[in-house]
Amino acid sequence: MASRNTITVGNLPESTREADIIAFFDARIKNAGIVVYSIMYDLQEGSKMSKLATVGLNRAVKDEALRCNGESLSTALGDERSHIEIVPPFLGVVTLDFHKDWEFEHVPRVYFVHDIGGDVYGSWINDSTGHMWIRDSLPAQCLNSGLRGRFSSLAYDASGKVEDIQIAAGRILEFVAGDRCPCSIQPIFFVCEGRGGIVLTQALTLLAEPAVAPRLRFMQQVRGIAYFGTPFQGTCSASSGHRIMGMVKRLARPALSSGELSRLMTAFNDIRNGEEIEVLVFTGESPDGPKRKTTRISAPPFQPPLTAVGINAGDRDMVKFASGNEAQTAITEIIGMIKGKRYSRFHTVFVIDDTGSMRDPVDSNKPAASGETKWDVLTRGMQSIGDLAAESMLNEVDIRLLNSTRLNKTNIASGQEMLDILTQVNLEQGVGGTYVETALAEILGPYVARYRESRSRVKPLDVTVKPLNVIVLTDGKAHDAKSTEKTIAEIGKKLDAIGAPNAQVRVVFLQVGDDGAAAEWLKCLGTSQVDARKFVHVKTFRDCENSDFSEVLRDVLLRMTRAVPYDGCCSCHYAARRERHFAKCVVERRA
């Protein structure tokens, strides 16, 4: 099949359909091989209501197509006409799909990186069926698996000279940085085709440099990478007569020699282990003759070693799945990677009030004999959190009890484990005051010290300190209220002095029961007099009395990872406006 390229066709009438664009070019260019990848509204500010299309065509006729700029296009539906604008392909981030509530910080962003000489659409579309699995199958199957996300393809100029891989790597970093708010801590995943994996690997090594620009400091958000047929050790024939991509001829020119490639992979392996980045490697298998892994082009030089996943296709078409069923192996592996790593960025500690008053009714207007106790409600809610951990959606979930400290547990793995611990609590022995300050000091004090140390090192990658979420479940006003308020204020000042991001430490007080005095005290914890940094949040019983406590607790945990409000950052304003535009756009996909 002829080599392909893309162009962008703008100022299209609102009634434009795929057939209109194909007819326009077929009437002017022979053997254009036109494929319309997408049609959407042009949402640039100040633009009139017109459409924009991304069009694939044979590379040999690209210049001829560009010369059609300014000519008139007529539509069959609506009989509209306009002078279209034809330009080279857009470079940057092309959003393929996104789900509701994508802005929550536990929701991952997935970026797709095409091969050198590839295309933002064409590299991933099956030429026979028109199926684009990263757009047509992966997002839907993620949603069916309980995963929300935002899925984008990176368009970078790699069709010309490739003497300097660092240039392409730097552009990718700029594209990703421009696509996200600087204060965002959303987990990032990459899916790479062929030598696009080498470009991305180079990009991540640049990202790890101590002198990297502040806007590019998102290494800790990178949680996983899937490589499809990436030539980690250079290329050569896997066997006699087997034709594979010419990495040596096209990449080894002054860009990266085999020695430089080896050093690059060694450096990235250190980064990968230090940052706990999950890696998947997919290798191609010959579609005819005896199946054989092309291990020389895809053998992963990682330590500890990885087991590659074989794809029943050649190296040139291993990401061009004809259908969702054909892509199922790859999709299942990628979803598993995202599920296992999307929450791994956070460490969550639940501080549980197990004093005797937890035996009282959750609603004081109902007698204990006819209503649930506070402990019943808390236990059921915490069991749901354990279930989240069992679904591999969370890790590093710890519980700390105020009185029964012998039952404190780290890394809760299931709802049953959570239930087993809480059923061992003897509330009759929980007589005495509610002392919160000691627990907060023991959790936050050492954590802030570790974080300060990690920031002071010459090489920040030496120590990785994950953001910390602390959720305090209590029914009454703390007997050490003043010292608790003082500790919160001091921790906030220390975090500000270090220059910690807003989401580095978050504390939520969630009231169990309707004690009025407790509610008033909890509200004052979120005031500027106590919490000038605004890292403490409060939910009283009255705030959520008409909701199921388990759902409230689950929602609190997920919302603790949300981005800084839009009104605090100009980049967030931009991201919010852009995503509202995406929600309005109409994309016409090929059948």
Side-chain angles (χ1 to χ4, degrees):
M1 183 175 177
S3 179
R4 302 187 64 77
N5 212 323
T6 59
I7 56 174
T8 300
V9 183
N11 198 36
L12 293 167
E14 191 173 1
S15 62
T16 300
R17 297 292 182 266
E18 177 182 336
D20 299 323
I21 299 172
I22 294 175
F24 173 85
F25 285 105
D26 283 349
R28 292 163 174 79
I29 305 172
K30 292 182 179 180
N31 302 318
I34 296 296
V35 177
V36 180
Y37 294 135
S38 70
I39 303 176
M40 64 183 67
Y41 284 110
D42 187 347
L43 299 169
Q44 296 183 10
E45 292 188 26
S47 175
K48 62 183 180 180
M49 190 59 71
S50 62
K51 286 186 173 180
L52 184 75
T54 302
V55 177
L57 73 171
N58 293 334
R59 189 183 299 274
V61 301
K62 177 184 175 181
D63 290 341
E64 191 174 352
L66 291 175
R67 288 195 291 270
C68 295
N69 181 46
E71 294 192 20
S72 179
L73 179 144
S74 300
T75 64
L77 179 65
D79 194 26
E80 294 181 282
R81 181 185 297 269
S82 69
H83 294 282
I84 61 174
E85 299 173 355
I86 303 176
V87 296
F90 166 80
L91 299 180
V93 178
V94 177
T95 297
L96 304 173
D97 202 352
F98 63 96
H99 298 140
K100 181 182 178 182
D101 294 333
W102 69 269
E103 75 276 12
F104 287 131
E105 286 300 332
H106 66 281
V107 175
R109 291 178 180 237
V110 184
Y111 294 99
F112 303 94
V113 184
H114 60 71
D115 193 5
I116 291 175
D119 177 73
V120 64
Y121 285 100
S123 291
W124 309 93
I125 290 181
N126 184 277
D127 298 321
S128 299
T129 66
H131 185 77
M132 186 177 184
W133 67 280
I134 63 175
R135 179 195 65 190
D136 303 331
S137 297
L138 178 61
Q141 292 200 37
C142 280
L143 197 59
N144 291 338
S145 301
L147 283 171
R148 294 195 302 270
R150 184 166 174 265
F151 306 85
S152 305
S153 189
L154 291 173
Y156 67 100
D157 185 7
S159 59
K161 297 180 179 180
V162 293
E163 284 81 359
D164 193 352
I165 295 298
Q166 288 192 349
I167 293 177
R171 286 171 179 164
I172 283 180
L173 292 182
E174 292 288 351
F175 292 156
V176 174
D179 186 54
R180 59 187 296 280
C181 171
C183 57
S184 172
I185 55 174
Q186 280 182 304
I188 295 173
F189 296 85
F190 292 98
V191 177
C192 307
E193 177 209 7
R195 292 160 297 163
I198 299 296
V199 177
L200 177 70
T201 302
Q202 177 70 75
L204 295 182
T205 60
L206 296 176
L207 197 62
E209 294 292 333
V212 66
R215 70 182 182 281
L216 300 179
R217 290 175 183 167
F218 53 84
M219 174 62 85
Q220 282 194 340
Q221 281 71 56
V222 179
R223 306 314 311 146
I225 306 169
Y227 294 98
F228 282 82
T230 295
F232 296 112
Q233 300 178 15
T235 62
C236 65
S237 294
S239 64
S240 178
H242 182 59
R243 183 170 182 264
I244 61 177
M245 292 178 292
M247 176 69 178
V248 174
K249 292 182 179 179
R250 297 184 62 187
L251 182 61
R253 298 199 302 266
L256 290 175
S257 65
S258 58
E260 290 170 329
L261 185 57
S262 176
R263 287 190 291 273
L264 170 65
M265 297 313 303
T266 299
F268 174 69
N269 194 63
D270 292 339
I271 295 169
R272 170 224 171 194
N273 289 326
E275 288 293 321
E276 299 179 2
I277 297 173
E278 186 79 9
V279 170
L280 288 174
V281 175
F282 297 90
T283 61
E285 296 180 340
S286 176
D288 39 33
K291 291 183 179 180
R292 52 189 180 272
K293 301 280 183 65
T294 52
T295 52
R296 280 300 303 273
I297 73 161
S298 296
F302 296 115
Q303 294 296 331
L306 297 175
T307 300
V309 180
I311 300 295
N312 188 18
D315 302 296
R316 288 184 176 275
D317 59 356
M318 67 183 304
V319 294
K320 290 178 173 286
F321 299 111
S323 65
N325 288 337
E326 190 174 294
Q328 193 58 55
T329 298
I331 290 174
T332 300
E333 294 287 343
I334 291 171
I335 289 176
M337 174 180 70
I338 296 174
K339 271 196 169 185
K341 299 298 290 187
R342 68 170 176 163
Y343 283 102
S344 64
R345 191 177 180 309
F346 306 100
H347 182 191
T348 303
V349 181
F350 288 89
V351 178
I352 298 177
D353 181 352
D354 59 340
T355 55
S357 60
M358 294 296 288
R359 294 174 295 176
D360 297 338
V362 67
D363 188 340
S364 60
N365 296 319
K366 297 179 181 179
S370 61
E372 288 186 308
T373 67
K374 301 171 185 175
W375 191 253
D376 292 335
V377 171
L378 182 146
T379 300
R380 187 171 64 251
M382 289 303 298
Q383 185 176 5
S384 72
I385 297 302
D387 290 336
L388 273 179
E391 295 168 6
S392 298
M393 294 172 66
L394 296 168
N395 68 358
E396 293 196 46
V397 175
D398 306 340
I399 61 170
R400 189 190 191 286
L401 295 110
L402 294 184
N403 288 314
S404 307
T405 54
R406 63 183 178 81
L407 297 176
N408 291 350
K409 184 72 170 63
T410 60
N411 295 326
I412 299 295
S414 69
Q416 188 60 50
E417 182 180 12
M418 185 77 77
L419 183 62
D420 291 343
I421 293 171
L422 297 181
T423 53
Q424 296 180 56
V425 174
N426 187 345
L427 294 177
E428 293 183 359
Q429 295 180 353
V431 178
T434 302
Y435 295 97
V436 177
E437 187 274 337
T438 301
L440 288 182
E442 290 179 354
I443 295 169
L444 298 177
Y447 176 86
V448 172
R450 289 199 311 275
Y451 183 71
R452 180 189 296 111
E453 179 186 3
S454 73
R455 291 291 293 265
S456 65
R457 290 177 178 246
V458 176
K459 294 183 178 180
L461 291 176
D462 290 348
V463 176
T464 299
V465 180
K466 298 178 180 178
L468 175 67
N469 297 327
V470 179
I471 301 178
V472 182
L473 306 177
T474 184
D475 71 326
K477 178 179 179 179
H479 287 73
D480 55 355
K482 292 298 182 182
S483 59
T484 298
E485 295 167 15
K486 182 179 178 181
T487 295
I488 289 173
E490 290 177 348
I491 292 295
K493 291 177 181 177
K494 290 179 180 179
L495 291 170
D496 285 339
I498 300 171
N502 290 331
Q504 191 66 39
V505 176
R506 290 180 177 176
V507 180
V508 168
F509 283 82
L510 182 58
Q511 185 185 16
V512 185
D514 60 351
D515 186 309
E520 290 302 316
W521 176 70
L522 290 172
K523 288 179 181 178
C524 83
L525 292 180
T527 63
S528 57
Q529 289 81 3
V530 177
D531 175 29
R533 179 180 168 82
K534 297 297 182 184
F535 74 105
V536 175
H537 309 276
V538 173
K539 266 191 174 294
T540 66
F541 178 80
R542 295 302 176 193
D543 292 333
C544 47
E545 61 179 329
N546 294 322
S547 303
D548 180 76
F549 186 79
S550 297
E551 290 300 318
V552 171
L553 186 56
R554 184 182 178 115
D555 185 64
V556 165
L557 176 61
L558 299 185
R559 288 178 182 271
M560 285 183 74
T561 64
R562 192 171 186 176
V564 176
Y566 290 134
D567 58 5
C569 172
C570 60
S571 296
C572 289
H573 277 301
Y574 171 74
R577 184 175 65 248
R578 182 181 57 207
E579 293 307 330
R580 286 195 295 271
H581 287 169
F582 282 140
K584 296 177 183 177
C585 75
V586 176
V587 178
E588 299 175 354
R589 298 176 180 171
R590 299 183 67 207

